[in-house]
Amino acid sequence: MIEEDIHSCSYHCQNPVCIKAQRDELVDRFVKDTADIAVKMTEHYFGGWNNALDEAAARVGEIKGFGQATQDSFAVFIKGLKR
């Protein structure tokens, strides 16, 4: 039976077991690559976002016309936006 034969195959092999293994390998590679890209994009996006929020929270004291309680509320709100 073909499935039980010992052979070396490539992506042109028509053995059903090999076709399934190749399909699964390609899916696994695609999912891993896609996940890696998503993680890098998320880290880049939220890294910049979090840095901007940190700066905004540090500078909330520069807001003129608000009392300390309002400035503190702004700082807490801004830090709550971090991802």
Side-chain angles (χ1 to χ4, degrees), residues 2-36:
I2 293 176
E3 292 90 13
E4 298 168 355
D5 290 343
I6 296 174
H7 69 283
S8 175
C9 66
S10 67
Y11 282 98
H12 301 289
C13 182
Q14 295 300 310
N15 182 337
V17 174
C18 294
I19 291 170
K20 181 182 181 310
Q22 293 163 6
R23 179 203 64 203
D24 293 347
E25 176 190 348
L26 290 172
V27 169
D28 290 345
R29 285 174 45 195
F30 175 77
V31 169
K32 181 189 178 305
D33 291 347
T34 304
D36 290 346

Side-chain angles (χ1 to χ4, degrees), residues 17-70:
V17 174
C18 294
I19 291 170
K20 181 182 181 310
Q22 293 163 6
R23 179 203 64 203
D24 293 347
E25 176 190 348
L26 290 172
V27 169
D28 290 345
R29 285 174 45 195
F30 175 77
V31 169
K32 181 189 178 305
D33 291 347
T34 304
D36 290 346
I37 291 168
V39 166
K40 289 176 184 173
M41 288 177 62
T42 301
E43 289 172 349
H44 176 74
Y45 175 76
F46 287 122
W49 172 255
N50 287 337
N51 291 341
L53 290 173
D54 287 340
E55 183 178 344
R59 297 183 64 189
V60 77
E62 298 173 14
I63 298 172
K64 305 292 184 211
F66 293 110
Q68 187 63 44
T70 303

